[in-house]
Structure formats: C-alpha cells, structure tokens
Amino acid sequence: MTAGMMALLVTGCGNGEQGDAKLIEYQRALAEALGQPAPERTAPPNIGAFPERDERLFEVAETREGILNVYALRDCHITQLVAARNNQLGRVAPPSQQWIYELELWRRLHACWHSDVPDSLSDANRERLERLTLIKTEQLPKVSWNSLFDSDEWVRSFSRASSPLAPDDTRGIEAQFEALAWLHQATVNQFNPAWQHQSSTLENHLNSLRSRPLTAELLRALMLAERRLNEANALLAANLESQRGCTALASPAGELSEEMADMAAFAWLDRLESLATRWLEAIDSLLASHVPPPEAIDDYRHAWLSLENPEAPLPALRQARSEHRQHWQALVRRCT
C-alpha cells in the first residue's frame, strides 16, 4: 500500500461515529490518492418523524353488552373474560394485552358459534351471539394492528433520538429479528384456533424490541453512509473531468482500485447493506401480513422503509455504491 493509502488512526469516536470514521478514513485516502483535497463533509438530515398516534391507529368501536346479555351466553365461556376486561386492570392494560384479550374472546365466540350451543339459545341470544362473533371477527385485524402500532416498544424502534448503528454493535439484534418473525406468525395465525399465543412469549419479544431503536439506527447509518459515499463520488467525478486526472494519481489506477477495495469502509458498507436489507424485508413482511395501513403509515413506509423507492435510505445507498463502482471502473479504463 502506498504512503497515501496508510490508514489514519481515528480515536475518541463514540459508538455511533465508528462507521462514519471508517468512511472518512476512506475519503481522506481517496483524496490523497487522487491528488485532491479531502471533501467538505456535511451531515445528513434527521430521519422522518414517526406518525402521531391518531394517524397510525384504526378506530375500533367499543362493543357494549349488558351483564344479563353476556350471562345469557355463559355456555360460550366468555363471562369471566369480559369481566376481567372490564375491571380496573383490564381497562388500563397495555395494547399487547388488549390484543391477547380480543384474540381469546374471538376464539371463544367462534368456537361457540360452531358448536351445539346456538341450538339451545333463544332467538334473541342466538342473534346476539352471531352479531358479536361477526363484530369481533371484523375488529380483530384492526386490534392486532393497533396492538403493535400503539406499543411503546414498536414506536421507539423509529425514534429520532438515536445514533447511527455502529459497525461492531450486535447487541440484541438477532433477538429483534426473532421478535419480528414471531409477530409476523402471530398476525398470520390470529384466525387459526390451533395457534398458541402465550402472553409471556409476546411480552418477551416486545422486550427485545425495547432493547434498542434498531430501525432508527439502521436508517441513520444508511443515510450517513450514502452522504459520505456521494462525497467520495464527487472526488472521483472531478478526477474523471480533469485533464490531468491520470497524472495526478499517486499510483497506477488498477493498484489504487484494489487497495481501496480492501479498506475497512467497504466491509462496513457490505455489512450495513446486508443487515438493513434483512431488517427492512422483515418489517415489510410483518406489515404485509396486517390489514392495509392508515395513509400516514403507508407514506412513512414508502419514504423510509421501502426496498424500492430510490429516495428511501436503503435504495439510495445502493445507488451511491453502484455509482461509486462505475466511477472506479471508468477511472481504471481511462488511466490504464
């Protein structure tokens, strides 16, 4: 490696700055190899604000039935369940527990409607059972959505008060992937009476999501990497446009290209793109398993979580990396 390619020691960086340090190191080495001053660096904008609560939730009407009407359906085994939901603790239960309640209520109503119980009911109570079953069947997917998008654990994953993901920070990441996978299965199977839905399992997965705002950390890292890579792209583009571009090189273009590709910045970019792709695909699958989202969430998803929108963070980084490779290829062809 040439003297101009020597790695710069960067110290005193916080965890969120480690990835940026690798890219800045590459920028400086690239500028020196091209005979140019280091680029002027700018900070990327903040990630978008997650939609407010009233914009991201569905309105689910409360179902009201008198105690005598509920007791008339006692053979459906919903009396104690309804009583638990209506007591003081039930009314302040977190969204996740409200979903568990609605899921269990639907299952008992559904099982009751498809049993011999309706034959023993009066016409009014049979109609009431049918109506309640239909209402809860319609409401359950919206309750499932609300339980996720009203939970602190999920909302914090998109927190703007976050730092970019650090290259070596793997704390709790695999557990978060397991949480998304379980939540996806829970959504897909919520109308499957045979699927088990232990409350403790749900809470454990939510605790995994609570451990760090992984979505926000990845989005920030993607945006920061794209900004630094586009600054490096400007250096290469300036060399390609210069009359003395080849003579300004510190070493033959082919050697420079190979030496640069071995720098730590590119291993970090590979890992970041791979991890972000895997995470955003998991989120995409989870959202696709739910009902169509409210408009505000759909807009946020397109702008920040999309795998295809060229202006979203992940596709934008991919484009910056593609342009970077193309610039290097053009430089090697021109100067060889």
Side-chain angles (χ1 to χ4, degrees), residues 26 76 140 210 228 252-253 311 327:
Y26 170 69
C76 295
L140 187 58
R210 186 185 292 114
R228 295 292 172 258
E311 296 182 357
H327 284 324

Side-chain angles (χ1 to χ4, degrees), residues 301-318:
R301 180 183 183 182
H302 177 72
W304 296 99
L305 310 177
S306 175
L307 298 160
E308 299 175 355
N309 173 19
E311 296 182 357
L314 178 57
L317 175 63
R318 288 173 173 166

Side-chain angles (χ1 to χ4, degrees), residues 132-147:
L132 287 175
T133 303
L134 290 174
I135 288 174
K136 291 306 174 181
T137 301
E138 179 183 353
Q139 288 182 344
L140 187 58
K142 295 180 180 179
V143 173
S144 174
W145 172 276
N146 287 356
S147 73

Side-chain angles (χ1 to χ4, degrees), residues 96-115:
S96 58
Q97 294 305 310
Q98 293 176 18
W99 173 70
I100 290 287
Y101 163 79
E102 291 290 341
L103 181 61
E104 184 60 33
L105 179 59
W106 174 82
R107 288 187 173 186
R108 295 188 188 186
L109 289 170
H110 178 267
C112 188
W113 178 250
H114 290 87
S115 69

Side-chain angles (χ1 to χ4, degrees), residues 15-229:
N15 286 341
E17 299 172 340
Q18 292 175 9
D20 198 27
K22 294 179 185 297
L23 292 163
I24 291 173
E25 177 186 341
Y26 170 69
Q27 283 186 345
R28 290 172 176 168
L30 176 62
E32 187 168 349
L34 299 178
Q36 297 184 35
E40 180 179 349
R41 290 181 294 276
T42 59
N46 200 350
I47 61 175
F50 203 56
E52 295 294 333
R53 185 174 184 273
D54 60 347
E55 295 179 312
R56 64 178 186 263
L57 301 183
F58 289 106
E59 183 175 350
V60 179
E62 185 174 356
T63 305
R64 294 182 178 274
E65 287 291 341
I67 188 170
L68 293 179
N69 291 336
V70 172
Y71 183 73
L73 302 178
R74 58 190 177 277
D75 289 339
C76 295
H77 308 292
I78 65 171
T79 308
Q80 291 184 342
L81 191 63
V82 172
R85 177 65 178 87
N86 289 334
N87 66 26
Q88 186 173 2
L89 290 177
R91 290 183 177 278
V92 297
S96 58
Q97 294 305 310
Q98 293 176 18
W99 173 70
I100 290 287
Y101 163 79
E102 291 290 341
L103 181 61
E104 184 60 33
L105 179 59
W106 174 82
R107 288 187 173 186
R108 295 188 188 186
L109 289 170
H110 178 267
C112 188
W113 178 250
H114 290 87
S115 69
D116 296 333
V117 171
D119 295 336
S120 65
L121 298 175
S122 67
D123 290 345
N125 286 329
R126 186 166 55 252
E127 291 174 2
R128 180 172 293 107
L129 173 59
E130 181 181 24
R131 176 174 54 82
L132 287 175
T133 303
L134 290 174
I135 288 174
K136 291 306 174 181
T137 301
E138 179 183 353
Q139 288 182 344
L140 187 58
K142 295 180 180 179
V143 173
S144 174
W145 172 276
N146 287 356
S147 73
L148 180 62
F149 279 82
D150 199 22
S151 67
D152 290 339
E153 296 85 356
W154 185 244
V155 174
R156 287 175 186 172
S157 187
F158 305 87
S159 173
R160 303 180 90 192
S162 53
S163 300
L165 180 72
D168 300 325
D169 189 353
T170 61
R171 296 172 296 111
I173 289 180
E174 287 306 314
Q176 294 216 13
F177 276 106
E178 292 173 6
L180 288 196
W182 189 91
L183 290 169
H184 177 262
Q185 287 300 308
T187 307
V188 169
N189 287 289
Q190 60 185 331
F191 286 116
N192 176 9
W195 184 76
Q196 300 300 311
H197 57 283
Q198 290 90 347
S199 176
S200 59
T201 304
L202 171 59
E203 293 306 319
N204 287 338
H205 286 307
L206 290 177
N207 284 335
S208 296
L209 292 176
R210 186 185 292 114
S211 67
R212 63 186 306 169
L214 184 57
T215 308
E217 292 175 336
L218 281 167
L219 295 179
R220 286 186 178 280
L222 290 168
M223 294 173 68
L224 186 56
E226 184 221 349
R227 179 63 58 94
R228 295 292 172 258
L229 209 52

